[in-house]
Coordinates of all heavy atoms in Angstrom, one line a residue:
D1 N 0.8 -1.2 0.0 CA 0.0 0.0 0.0 C 0.9 1.3 0.0 O 1.8 1.3 0.8 CB -0.9 0.0 1.2 CG -1.8 1.1 1.3 OD1 -2.5 1.5 0.4 OD2 -1.8 1.8 2.4
V2 N 0.6 2.2 -0.8 CA 1.4 3.4 -1.0 C 1.4 4.2 0.3 O 2.5 4.6 0.7 CB 0.8 4.3 -2.1 CG1 1.5 5.6 -2.2 CG2 0.9 3.6 -3.5
L3 N 0.3 4.4 0.9 CA 0.3 5.2 2.2 C 1.1 4.5 3.3 O 1.8 5.2 4.1 CB -1.1 5.5 2.6 CG -1.3 6.6 3.7 CD1 -0.6 7.8 3.3 CD2 -2.8 6.8 3.9
E4 N 1.1 3.2 3.4 CA 1.9 2.5 4.4 C 3.3 2.7 4.1 O 4.1 2.9 5.0 CB 1.5 1.0 4.4 CG 0.2 0.6 5.0 CD 0.3 0.8 6.5 OE1 1.4 0.8 7.1 OE2 -0.8 1.0 7.1
E5 N 3.8 2.7 2.9 CA 5.2 2.9 2.5 C 5.6 4.3 2.8 O 6.7 4.6 3.3 CB 5.4 2.6 1.0 CG 6.8 2.8 0.6 CD 7.9 1.9 1.3 OE1 7.5 0.8 1.8 OE2 9.0 2.3 1.3
V6 N 4.7 5.3 2.6 CA 5.0 6.7 2.9 C 5.1 6.8 4.4 O 6.1 7.4 4.9 CB 3.8 7.6 2.4 CG1 3.9 9.0 3.0 CG2 3.9 7.7 0.9
K7 N 4.3 6.2 5.2 CA 4.3 6.2 6.6 C 5.7 5.6 7.1 O 6.3 6.2 8.0 CB 3.2 5.4 7.2 CG 3.2 5.4 8.8 CD 2.0 4.6 9.3 CE 2.0 4.5 10.8 NZ 2.5 3.3 11.3
L8 N 6.1 4.5 6.6 CA 7.3 3.9 7.0 C 8.5 4.8 6.7 O 9.4 4.9 7.6 CB 7.5 2.5 6.3 CG 6.6 1.4 6.7 CD1 6.8 0.2 5.8 CD2 6.9 1.0 8.2
R9 N 8.5 5.4 5.6 CA 9.7 6.3 5.3 C 9.7 7.5 6.1 O 10.8 8.0 6.5 CB 9.6 6.7 3.8 CG 9.9 5.5 2.9 CD 9.9 5.9 1.4 NE 10.0 4.7 0.6 CZ 10.5 4.8 -0.7 NH1 10.9 5.9 -1.2 NH2 10.5 3.6 -1.4
V10 N 8.5 8.1 6.4 CA 8.4 9.3 7.3 C 8.9 8.9 8.7 O 9.7 9.6 9.3 CB 7.0 9.9 7.3 CG1 6.9 11.0 8.3 CG2 6.7 10.5 5.9
E11 N 8.4 7.8 9.2 CA 8.9 7.3 10.5 C 10.4 7.1 10.6 O 11.0 7.6 11.6 CB 8.2 5.9 10.8 CG 6.8 6.0 11.2 CD 6.1 4.7 11.4 OE1 6.6 3.7 10.8 OE2 5.1 4.6 12.1
R12 N 11.0 6.6 9.6 CA 12.4 6.4 9.6 C 13.2 7.7 9.6 O 14.3 7.8 10.2 CB 12.9 5.6 8.3 CG 12.7 4.1 8.5 CD 13.4 3.3 7.4 NE 12.4 2.5 6.8 CZ 12.0 2.4 5.5 NH1 12.6 3.2 4.6 NH2 11.0 1.6 5.1
R13 N 12.6 8.7 9.0 CA 13.3 10.0 9.0 C 13.0 10.9 10.2 O 13.7 11.9 10.4 CB 12.8 10.8 7.7 CG 13.3 10.2 6.5 CD 12.9 11.1 5.3 NE 13.7 10.8 4.1 CZ 13.2 10.3 3.0 NH1 11.9 10.1 2.9 NH2 14.0 10.1 2.0
T14 N 12.0 10.5 11.0 CA 11.7 11.3 12.2 C 12.6 11.0 13.3 O 12.8 9.8 13.7 CB 10.2 10.9 12.6 OG1 9.3 11.2 11.5 CG2 9.8 11.8 13.8
P15 N 13.3 12.0 13.8 CA 14.3 11.7 14.9 C 13.6 11.3 16.2 O 12.5 11.7 16.5 CB 15.0 13.1 15.1 CG 14.2 14.1 14.4 CD 13.3 13.4 13.4
R16 N 14.3 10.5 17.0 CA 13.8 10.1 18.3 C 14.4 11.1 19.3 O 15.6 11.5 19.2 CB 14.3 8.7 18.6 CG 13.5 7.7 17.9 CD 13.9 6.3 18.3 NE 13.1 5.5 19.3 CZ 11.8 5.4 19.4 NH1 11.0 6.2 18.6 NH2 11.2 4.6 20.2
S17 N 13.6 11.5 20.3 CA 14.1 12.4 21.3 C 14.7 11.5 22.4 O 14.5 10.3 22.5 CB 12.9 13.2 21.9 OG 12.0 12.4 22.6
N18 N 15.5 12.2 23.3 CA 16.1 11.5 24.4 C 15.2 11.5 25.6 O 15.6 11.1 26.7 CB 17.4 12.1 24.7 CG 18.4 11.8 23.6 OD1 18.4 10.8 22.9 ND2 19.3 12.8 23.4
D19 N 14.0 12.1 25.5 CA 13.1 12.3 26.6 C 12.3 11.0 26.8 O 12.6 9.9 26.3 CB 12.2 13.5 26.3 CG 12.9 14.8 26.2 OD1 14.0 14.9 26.8 OD2 12.5 15.6 25.5
D20 N 11.2 11.2 27.5 CA 10.3 10.1 27.8 C 9.8 9.4 26.5 O 9.4 10.1 25.6 CB 9.0 10.7 28.5 CG 8.0 9.7 28.9 OD1 8.1 8.5 28.5 OD2 7.0 10.0 29.6
P21 N 10.0 8.1 26.4 CA 9.6 7.4 25.2 C 8.1 7.6 24.7 O 7.8 7.4 23.6 CB 9.8 5.9 25.5 CG 10.7 5.9 26.7 CD 10.5 7.2 27.4
K22 N 7.3 7.9 25.7 CA 5.9 8.1 25.3 C 5.7 9.4 24.5 O 4.7 9.6 23.9 CB 5.0 8.2 26.6 CG 4.9 6.9 27.3 CD 4.1 7.1 28.6 CE 4.9 6.7 29.7 NZ 4.5 7.1 31.0
T23 N 6.7 10.2 24.4 CA 6.6 11.5 23.7 C 7.3 11.4 22.3 O 7.3 12.5 21.6 CB 7.2 12.7 24.5 OG1 8.6 12.5 24.6 CG2 6.6 12.8 25.9
H24 N 7.9 10.3 21.9 CA 8.6 10.2 20.7 C 7.6 10.5 19.5 O 6.6 9.8 19.3 CB 9.2 8.8 20.5 CG 10.3 8.5 21.4 ND1 11.4 9.4 21.6 CD2 10.6 7.5 22.1 CE1 12.2 8.9 22.4 NE2 11.8 7.7 22.7
A25 N 8.0 11.5 18.7 CA 7.2 11.8 17.5 C 7.2 10.6 16.5 O 6.3 10.4 15.8 CB 7.7 13.1 16.9
Q26 N 8.4 9.9 16.5 CA 8.5 8.8 15.6 C 7.4 7.7 15.8 O 7.0 7.1 14.8 CB 9.9 8.2 15.7 CG 10.2 7.2 14.7 CD 11.6 6.6 14.9 OE1 11.9 6.1 16.0 NE2 12.4 6.6 13.8
D27 N 7.0 7.6 17.0 CA 6.0 6.5 17.3 C 4.6 7.0 17.2 O 3.6 6.3 17.5 CB 6.2 6.0 18.8 CG 7.6 5.4 19.0 OD1 8.1 4.8 18.0 OD2 8.1 5.5 20.1
R28 N 4.4 8.3 16.8 CA 3.0 8.9 16.8 C 2.4 9.0 15.4 O 1.4 9.6 15.2 CB 3.0 10.2 17.5 CG 3.2 10.1 19.0 CD 3.1 11.4 19.6 NE 3.1 11.3 21.1 CZ 2.6 12.2 21.9 NH1 2.1 13.3 21.4 NH2 2.7 12.0 23.2
W29 N 3.1 8.5 14.4 CA 2.6 8.6 13.0 C 1.5 7.6 12.9 O 1.6 6.4 13.4 CB 3.7 8.3 12.0 CG 4.6 9.4 11.9 CD1 5.9 9.4 12.3 CD2 4.4 10.7 11.3 NE1 6.5 10.6 12.1 CE2 5.6 11.4 11.5 CE3 3.4 11.3 10.7 CZ2 5.8 12.7 11.0 CZ3 3.5 12.6 10.3 CH2 4.7 13.3 10.4
E30 N 0.4 8.0 12.4 CA -0.7 7.0 12.1 C -1.5 7.4 10.9 O -1.5 8.5 10.5 CB -1.7 6.9 13.3 CG -2.5 8.1 13.6 CD -3.4 7.9 14.8 OE1 -4.2 6.9 14.8 OE2 -3.4 8.7 15.7
I31 N -2.1 6.4 10.3 CA -2.9 6.6 9.1 C -4.4 6.6 9.5 O -4.8 5.7 10.2 CB -2.7 5.5 8.1 CG1 -1.2 5.5 7.6 CG2 -3.7 5.6 6.9 CD1 -0.8 4.3 6.7
I32 N -5.1 7.6 9.1 CA -6.5 7.7 9.4 C -7.2 7.6 8.1 O -6.9 8.3 7.1 CB -6.8 9.1 10.1 CG1 -6.1 9.2 11.4 CG2 -8.3 9.3 10.2 CD1 -6.3 10.5 12.2
Q33 N -8.1 6.6 8.0 CA -8.9 6.4 6.8 C -10.0 7.4 6.7 O -10.7 7.7 7.7 CB -9.5 5.0 6.8 CG -8.4 3.9 6.8 CD -7.5 4.0 5.5 OE1 -7.9 4.3 4.5 NE2 -6.2 3.6 5.7
T34 N -10.1 7.9 5.5 CA -11.2 8.9 5.2 C -12.0 8.4 4.0 O -11.6 7.4 3.4 CB -10.6 10.3 4.9 OG1 -9.9 10.2 3.7 CG2 -9.7 10.8 6.0
D35 N -13.1 9.1 3.7 CA -13.9 8.7 2.5 C -13.1 9.0 1.2 O -13.5 8.5 0.2 CB -15.2 9.4 2.5 CG -15.1 10.9 2.5 OD1 -14.0 11.5 2.9 OD2 -16.1 11.6 2.2
K36 N -12.0 9.7 1.3 CA -11.2 10.0 0.1 C -9.9 9.2 0.1 O -9.1 9.5 -0.8 CB -10.9 11.5 0.0 CG -12.1 12.4 -0.1 CD -11.8 13.8 -0.2 CE -13.1 14.6 -0.4 NZ -12.8 16.0 -0.4
G37 N -9.7 8.3 1.0 CA -8.5 7.5 1.1 C -8.0 7.5 2.5 O -8.6 7.0 3.4
G38 N -6.8 8.0 2.6 CA -6.2 8.0 3.9 C -5.4 9.3 4.2 O -5.1 10.0 3.2
M39 N -5.1 9.5 5.4 CA -4.3 10.7 5.8 C -3.3 10.3 6.8 O -3.6 9.6 7.8 CB -5.3 11.7 6.4 CG -4.7 13.0 6.9 SD -6.0 14.2 7.3 CE -6.9 13.4 8.5
L40 N -2.1 10.8 6.7 CA -1.0 10.6 7.6 C -1.0 11.7 8.7 O -1.0 12.9 8.3 CB 0.3 10.5 6.9 CG 1.5 10.1 7.7 CD1 1.4 8.7 8.3 CD2 2.8 10.1 6.8
T41 N -1.1 11.3 10.0 CA -1.1 12.4 11.0 C -0.1 12.0 12.1 O 0.4 10.9 12.2 CB -2.5 12.5 11.7 OG1 -2.7 11.2 12.4 CG2 -3.6 12.7 10.7
N42 N 0.2 13.0 12.9 CA 1.1 12.8 14.0 C 0.6 13.7 15.2 O 0.5 14.9 15.0 CB 2.6 13.2 13.7 CG 3.6 12.8 14.7 OD1 3.4 13.2 15.9 ND2 4.5 12.0 14.3
S43 N 0.4 13.2 16.3 CA -0.1 13.9 17.4 C 0.9 14.6 18.3 O 0.6 15.2 19.3 CB -1.0 13.0 18.3 OG -0.2 11.9 18.8
A44 N 2.2 14.4 18.0 CA 3.2 15.1 18.8 C 3.1 16.6 18.7 O 3.0 17.1 17.6 CB 4.6 14.7 18.4
P45 N 3.0 17.3 19.8 CA 2.7 18.8 19.7 C 3.9 19.6 19.0 O 3.6 20.7 18.6 CB 2.6 19.2 21.2 CG 3.2 18.1 22.0 CD 3.1 16.8 21.2
Y46 N 5.0 19.0 18.9 CA 6.2 19.7 18.3 C 6.5 19.2 16.9 O 7.5 19.6 16.3 CB 7.4 19.5 19.2 CG 7.7 18.1 19.5 CD1 8.6 17.4 18.7 CD2 7.2 17.4 20.6 CE1 8.9 16.0 18.9 CE2 7.5 16.1 20.8 CZ 8.4 15.4 20.0 OH 8.7 14.1 20.2
I47 N 5.6 18.4 16.3 CA 5.9 17.8 15.0 C 6.1 18.9 13.9 O 7.0 18.7 13.0 CB 4.7 16.9 14.6 CG1 5.2 16.0 13.4 CG2 3.5 17.6 14.2 CD1 6.3 15.0 13.8
N48 N 5.4 20.0 14.0 CA 5.6 21.1 13.0 C 7.0 21.7 13.1 O 7.7 22.0 12.1 CB 4.6 22.2 13.1 CG 4.6 23.1 12.0 OD1 4.6 22.7 10.8 ND2 4.6 24.4 12.3
F49 N 7.5 21.8 14.3 CA 8.9 22.3 14.5 C 9.9 21.3 13.9 O 10.9 21.8 13.4 CB 9.2 22.6 16.0 CG 8.2 23.6 16.6 CD1 7.5 23.3 17.7 CD2 8.1 24.9 16.1 CE1 6.6 24.2 18.3 CE2 7.3 25.8 16.6 CZ 6.5 25.5 17.7
L50 N 9.7 20.0 14.1 CA 10.6 19.0 13.6 C 10.6 19.1 12.0 O 11.7 19.1 11.4 CB 10.2 17.6 14.0 CG 10.7 17.1 15.3 CD1 10.1 15.7 15.6 CD2 12.2 17.1 15.4
E51 N 9.4 19.2 11.5 CA 9.3 19.2 10.0 C 9.9 20.5 9.4 O 10.7 20.5 8.5 CB 7.9 19.1 9.6 CG 7.7 19.2 8.1 CD 8.2 18.0 7.3 OE1 8.4 16.9 7.8 OE2 8.3 18.2 6.1
N52 N 9.5 21.7 9.9 CA 9.9 22.9 9.3 C 11.0 23.7 10.0 O 11.5 24.7 9.4 CB 8.6 23.8 9.2 CG 7.5 23.1 8.4 OD1 7.8 22.7 7.3 ND2 6.3 23.0 9.0
G53 N 11.3 23.3 11.2 CA 12.4 24.0 11.9 C 11.8 25.3 12.6 O 10.7 25.6 12.6
T54 N 12.7 26.0 13.3 CA 12.5 27.2 14.0 C 13.6 28.2 13.6 O 14.5 27.9 12.9 CB 12.4 27.1 15.5 OG1 13.7 26.7 16.0 CG2 11.4 26.0 15.9
S55 N 13.6 29.4 14.2 CA 14.6 30.3 14.0 C 16.0 29.8 14.5 O 17.0 30.3 14.1 CB 14.3 31.7 14.6 OG 14.2 31.6 16.0
K56 N 15.9 28.9 15.5 CA 17.2 28.4 16.1 C 17.5 26.9 15.7 O 18.4 26.4 16.2 CB 17.0 28.5 17.6 CG 16.9 29.9 18.0 CD 16.8 30.0 19.5 CE 16.7 31.5 19.9 NZ 16.6 31.7 21.3
M57 N 16.6 26.3 14.9 CA 16.8 24.9 14.6 C 16.3 24.6 13.2 O 15.3 25.0 12.8 CB 15.9 24.0 15.6 CG 15.9 22.5 15.4 SD 14.7 21.6 16.4 CE 13.3 21.7 15.3
A58 N 17.2 23.9 12.5 CA 16.8 23.5 11.1 C 15.8 22.5 11.1 O 15.7 21.6 12.0 CB 18.1 23.0 10.4
G59 N 14.9 22.5 10.1 CA 13.9 21.5 10.0 C 14.5 20.2 9.5 O 15.5 20.2 8.8
V60 N 13.8 19.1 9.8 CA 14.2 17.8 9.4 C 13.6 17.4 8.0 O 14.2 16.7 7.2 CB 13.8 16.7 10.4 CG1 14.2 15.3 10.0 CG2 14.5 17.0 11.8
H61 N 12.4 18.0 7.8 CA 11.7 17.8 6.5 C 11.4 16.4 6.1 O 11.5 16.0 5.0 CB 12.5 18.5 5.3 CG 12.8 19.9 5.6 ND1 11.9 20.9 5.8 CD2 14.1 20.5 5.8 CE1 12.5 22.0 6.1 NE2 13.8 21.8 6.1
M62 N 11.0 15.6 7.1 CA 10.8 14.1 6.9 C 9.6 13.9 6.0 O 9.6 13.0 5.1 CB 10.7 13.3 8.2 CG 9.7 13.8 9.2 SD 10.4 15.1 10.3 CE 9.0 15.5 11.3
V63 N 8.6 14.7 6.1 CA 7.4 14.6 5.2 C 7.7 15.1 3.8 O 7.4 14.5 2.8 CB 6.2 15.3 5.8 CG1 5.0 15.3 4.9 CG2 5.8 14.7 7.1
A64 N 8.3 16.3 3.8 CA 8.6 16.9 2.4 C 9.5 16.0 1.6 O 9.3 15.8 0.4 CB 9.2 18.3 2.6
L65 N 10.5 15.5 2.3 CA 11.5 14.6 1.5 C 10.8 13.3 1.0 O 11.0 12.8 -0.1 CB 12.6 14.2 2.4 CG 13.6 15.3 2.8 CD1 14.6 14.9 3.9 CD2 14.4 15.8 1.5
T66 N 9.9 12.8 1.9 CA 9.1 11.6 1.5 C 8.2 11.9 0.3 O 8.0 11.1 -0.6 CB 8.4 11.0 2.7 OG1 9.4 10.7 3.7 CG2 7.7 9.7 2.3
L67 N 7.5 13.1 0.4 CA 6.6 13.4 -0.7 C 7.3 13.5 -2.1 O 6.7 13.2 -3.1 CB 5.9 14.8 -0.4 CG 4.9 14.7 0.7 CD1 4.3 16.1 1.0 CD2 3.7 13.8 0.3
E68 N 8.6 13.9 -2.1 CA 9.3 13.9 -3.3 C 9.5 12.4 -3.9 O 9.7 12.3 -5.1 CB 10.7 14.5 -3.1 CG 10.6 16.0 -2.8 CD 12.0 16.6 -2.5 OE1 13.0 15.8 -2.6 OE2 12.1 17.8 -2.2
E69 N 9.4 11.4 -3.0 CA 9.6 10.0 -3.4 C 8.3 9.4 -3.8 O 8.3 8.2 -4.3 CB 10.2 9.3 -2.3 CG 11.6 9.8 -1.9 CD 12.1 9.1 -0.7 OE1 11.4 8.5 0.1 OE2 13.3 9.3 -0.4
V70 N 7.1 10.1 -3.7 CA 5.8 9.4 -3.9 C 5.7 8.9 -5.3 O 5.2 7.8 -5.5 CB 4.7 10.4 -3.5 CG1 3.3 9.9 -4.1 CG2 4.6 10.5 -2.0
P71 N 6.1 9.6 -6.4 CA 6.0 9.0 -7.7 C 6.7 7.7 -7.8 O 6.2 6.7 -8.4 CB 6.7 10.1 -8.6 CG 6.5 11.4 -7.9 CD 6.6 11.0 -6.4
D72 N 7.9 7.5 -7.2 CA 8.6 6.2 -7.3 C 7.9 5.2 -6.4 O 7.8 4.0 -6.8 CB 10.0 6.4 -6.7 CG 10.9 7.2 -7.7 OD1 10.7 7.1 -8.9 OD2 11.9 7.8 -7.2
I73 N 7.3 5.6 -5.3 CA 6.5 4.7 -4.5 C 5.3 4.1 -5.2 O 5.0 2.9 -5.2 CB 6.1 5.3 -3.2 CG1 7.3 5.7 -2.3 CG2 5.1 4.5 -2.4 CD1 7.1 6.6 -1.1
I74 N 4.7 5.0 -6.0 CA 3.5 4.6 -6.7 C 3.9 3.7 -7.9 O 3.2 2.7 -8.1 CB 2.7 5.9 -7.3 CG1 2.1 6.6 -6.1 CG2 1.7 5.5 -8.3 CD1 1.5 8.0 -6.5
S75 N 5.0 4.0 -8.5 CA 5.5 3.2 -9.6 C 5.8 1.8 -9.2 O 5.4 0.8 -9.8 CB 6.7 3.8 -10.3 OG 6.4 4.9 -11.0
K76 N 6.5 1.7 -8.0 CA 6.8 0.3 -7.5 C 5.5 -0.4 -7.1 O 5.4 -1.6 -7.3 CB 7.8 0.5 -6.3 CG 9.1 0.8 -6.8 CD 10.1 1.0 -5.6 CE 11.4 1.4 -6.2 NZ 12.3 2.0 -5.2
A77 N 4.6 0.3 -6.5 CA 3.3 -0.3 -6.1 C 2.6 -0.9 -7.3 O 2.0 -2.0 -7.3 CB 2.4 0.6 -5.3
Y78 N 2.6 -0.1 -8.4 CA 1.9 -0.5 -9.6 C 2.6 -1.7 -10.2 O 2.0 -2.7 -10.6 CB 1.9 0.6 -10.6 CG 1.3 0.3 -12.0 CD1 0.0 0.2 -12.1 CD2 2.1 0.0 -13.1 CE1 -0.6 -0.2 -13.3 CE2 1.6 -0.4 -14.3 CZ 0.2 -0.5 -14.4 OH -0.3 -0.9 -15.6
E79 N 4.0 -1.7 -10.2 CA 4.7 -2.9 -10.7 C 4.4 -4.1 -9.9 O 4.2 -5.2 -10.5 CB 6.2 -2.6 -10.7 CG 6.7 -1.6 -11.7 CD 8.2 -1.2 -11.4 OE1 8.9 -2.0 -10.7 OE2 8.6 -0.2 -12.0
N80 N 4.3 -4.0 -8.6 CA 4.0 -5.1 -7.8 C 2.6 -5.6 -8.0 O 2.3 -6.8 -7.9 CB 4.3 -4.8 -6.3 CG 5.7 -4.6 -6.0 OD1 6.6 -5.2 -6.7 ND2 6.0 -3.9 -4.9
A81 N 1.7 -4.7 -8.2 CA 0.3 -5.1 -8.4 C 0.0 -5.8 -9.8 O -0.9 -6.5 -9.9 CB -0.6 -3.9 -8.3
T82 N 0.9 -5.5 -10.7 CA 0.6 -6.0 -12.1 C 1.5 -7.2 -12.4 O 1.6 -7.7 -13.5 CB 0.9 -4.9 -13.2 OG1 2.2 -4.4 -13.0 CG2 -0.1 -3.8 -13.0
K83 N 2.2 -7.7 -11.4 CA 3.1 -8.9 -11.6 C 2.2 -10.2 -11.7 O 1.3 -10.4 -11.1 CB 4.1 -9.1 -10.5 CG 5.2 -8.1 -10.6 CD 6.3 -8.4 -9.5 CE 7.4 -7.4 -9.7 NZ 8.4 -7.6 -8.7

């Protein structure tokens, strides 16, 4: 599934904090099914700062980098489905 592969790649790119394991943004990615397909969400309150950065911290861009790979993910999913 394309969305599952996107989720796995975003999770791999999301840094783990050294704080309480219950607060790890990496563990908070989830797919929510909607009537239009699915949506990837993260409930960590600081997820936007990780993605986009702040004036004192560079962003990690785990979602943006993965979105650039979506055409390849779709191509591979299509190849696997038509084998």
